[in-house]
């Protein structure tokens, strides 16, 4: 436990409205590595990857290279069953495509391009646009779509976003020595310096749902992009319309939060009473921004180290973000 949270590492940045950033670093990168955690250590960002994928996609929308509301089928066949031909990029980025949560074929040993092909045509669980179904598969499809539509690798699109916002260490290929350990898995052993997510690992190349590693400063740069309504250190990164798309709910999830493009809005389960936008990652990562005041916080944990059992950190997250309230 570190600062009341499971795992070995705690890295956080918090800035109340109008205040300076407060950085806190506690613990070590692994239970068997006693070196002090530093601001340069890379965390497996898990589903925070989805936010970088969404920003990458919206930049292509802003450039006129893709259309949020045009069916993606002309570029990429996605989903199976009635309505699959109507799936749009907006559906994929707001978890309203009807695609299932995950592709389980990796459990049977399917890997690489074959796995990707099978995942992309998973049968729909709902008609596109009618229901919120949180879906890793949808973000894998979004990443594949923007790659094909732009003619550029997803890792290159991520890197461009990172350069624009000042996330200097963001990477999909981390050095083990700089990485914070995650889980000890039966089929992989100690996971450190490679993606924790089993599906992303089995896919074998960058995917839109998980796989990015970054420092607490990298995620803080993303939070500041949202605080500043799409402006980066060197100029505008997202149009105002795209920023509104990331902060305005388009559908309500069964869990009660609003779903915008790439972000959750007012997710009380881990934000508490904050009127904020943000996202979580399975490994223990999260960030939230209060658009009304500019307050923001980033909390990176490795709660799954060395096991994911009994590692709920919802209360820790709520306590961390509580000071951001007006």
């Amino acid at each position: 436990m570190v600062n009341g949270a499971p795992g070995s590492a705690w890295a956080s940045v918090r800035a109340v409205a109008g205040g300076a950033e407060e950085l806190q670093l506690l613990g070590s990168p692994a239970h068997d590595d006693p070196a002090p955690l530093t601001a340069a250590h890379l965390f497996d960002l898990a589903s925070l990857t989805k936010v970088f994928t969404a920003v990458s996609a919206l930049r292509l929308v802003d450039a006129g290279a893709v259309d949020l509301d045009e069916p993606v089928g002309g570029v990429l066949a996605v989903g199976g069953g009635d309505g699959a031909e109507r799936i749009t990029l907006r559906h994929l980025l707001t978890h309203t495509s009807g695609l299932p949560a995950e592709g389980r074929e990796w459990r049977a040993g399917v890997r690489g391009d074959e796995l990707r092909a099978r995942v992309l045509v998973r049968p729909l669980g709902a008609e596109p646009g009618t229901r919120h179904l949180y879906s890793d598969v949808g973000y894998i499809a979004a990443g594949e779509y923007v790659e094909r539509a732009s003619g550029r690798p997803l890792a290159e699109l991520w890197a461009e976003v990172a350069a624009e916002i000042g996330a200097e260490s963001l990477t999909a290929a981390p050095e083990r020595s700089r990485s914070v350990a995650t889980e000890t898995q039966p089929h992989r052993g100690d996971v450190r310096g490679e993606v924790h997510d089993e599906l992303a690992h089995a896919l074998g190349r960058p995917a839109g749902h998980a796989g990015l590693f970054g420092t607490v400063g990298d995620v803080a740069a993303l939070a500041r992009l949202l605080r500043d309504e799409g402006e980066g250190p060197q100029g505008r990164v997202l149009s105002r319309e795209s920023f509104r798309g990331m902060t305005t709910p388009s559908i309500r999830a069964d869990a009660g939060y609003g779903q915008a493009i790439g972000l959750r809005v007012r997710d009380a389960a881990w934000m508490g009473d904050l009127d904020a936008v943000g996202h979580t990652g399975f490994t223990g990562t999260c960030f939230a921004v209060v658009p009304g005041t500019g307050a923001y916080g980033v909390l990176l944990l490795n709660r799954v180290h060395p096991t994911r059992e009994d590692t709920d950190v919802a209360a820790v997250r709520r306590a961390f973000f509580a000071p951001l309230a007006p």
Side-chain angles (χ1 to χ4, degrees):
M1 300 285 284
V2 180
N3 209 22
S8 68
W10 171 298
S12 66
V13 163
R14 189 167 53 197
V16 299
E21 286 188 347
E22 297 177 356
L23 173 66
Q24 188 171 34
L25 302 167
L26 298 168
S28 62
H31 286 310
D32 60 358
D33 181 353
L37 192 76
T38 73
H41 274 109
L42 298 164
F43 284 75
D44 182 330
L45 300 182
S47 283
L48 299 195
T49 301
K50 294 180 173 73
V51 186
F52 285 98
T53 299
V55 173
S56 298
L58 288 172
R59 282 173 56 80
L60 293 174
V61 172
D62 290 342
V66 298
D67 189 324
L68 268 177
D69 297 307
E70 183 175 299
V72 300
V75 173
L76 177 70
V78 177
D82 292 343
E85 73 283 354
R86 297 198 300 275
I87 294 174
T88 66
L89 181 58
R90 188 187 299 275
H91 291 144
L92 297 174
L93 297 176
T94 58
H95 301 286
T96 56
S97 66
L99 287 165
E102 67 162 320
R104 296 180 175 271
E105 292 86 351
W106 66 268
R107 299 176 187 272
V110 182
R111 297 289 186 270
D113 289 341
E114 182 182 356
L115 175 61
R116 188 173 295 252
R118 292 194 191 186
V119 166
L120 290 174
V121 294
R122 291 293 303 276
L124 301 189
E127 287 277 323
T130 63
R131 185 181 172 195
H132 179 271
L133 294 170
Y134 185 82
S135 175
D136 285 349
V137 176
Y139 266 78
I140 294 170
E144 186 76 13
Y145 173 75
V146 297
E147 280 193 330
R148 296 192 186 189
S150 68
R152 300 169 62 194
L154 182 58
E156 184 178 306
L157 297 174
W158 285 335
E160 187 175 86
V161 170
E164 290 285 337
I165 68 175
E168 298 176 353
S169 302
L170 194 76
T171 181
E175 298 175 15
R176 178 182 172 87
S177 62
R178 285 189 61 195
S179 301
V180 173
T182 54
E183 193 173 18
T184 299
Q185 296 183 343
H187 59 300
R188 294 170 62 189
D190 296 336
V191 179
R192 183 175 179 184
E194 57 183 37
V195 62
H196 171 264
D197 182 270
E198 294 93 342
L199 177 53
H201 180 257
L203 287 169
R205 63 180 176 86
H209 73 299
L212 277 173
F213 289 70
T215 66
V216 66
D218 294 331
V219 183
L222 179 61
R224 290 192 295 270
L225 175 71
L226 296 165
R227 176 200 66 182
D228 297 335
E229 301 185 358
E231 286 277 352
Q234 301 172 2
R236 183 153 292 281
V237 178
L238 291 174
S239 69
R240 296 189 184 281
E241 183 177 358
S242 288
F243 166 74
R244 286 192 294 270
M246 292 194 74
T247 54
T248 304
S250 59
I251 195 168
R252 187 175 180 84
D254 289 345
Y257 61 85
Q259 178 69 57
I261 294 174
L263 294 174
R264 296 183 177 186
V265 183
R266 294 184 293 277
D267 189 350
W270 59 276
M271 293 178 183
D273 295 330
L274 281 186
D275 186 1
V277 300
H279 212 290
T280 63
F282 185 79
T283 52
T285 57
C286 64
F287 79 99
V289 181
V290 184
T293 67
Y296 57 94
V298 175
L299 176 59
L300 305 184
L301 310 171
N302 61 337
R303 72 168 184 99
V304 298
H305 179 65
T307 174
R308 69 182 70 185
E309 299 301 321
D310 299 319
T311 57
D312 182 16
V313 292
V316 173
R317 286 167 167 164
R318 290 193 298 269
F320 173 76
F321 289 115
L324 301 185

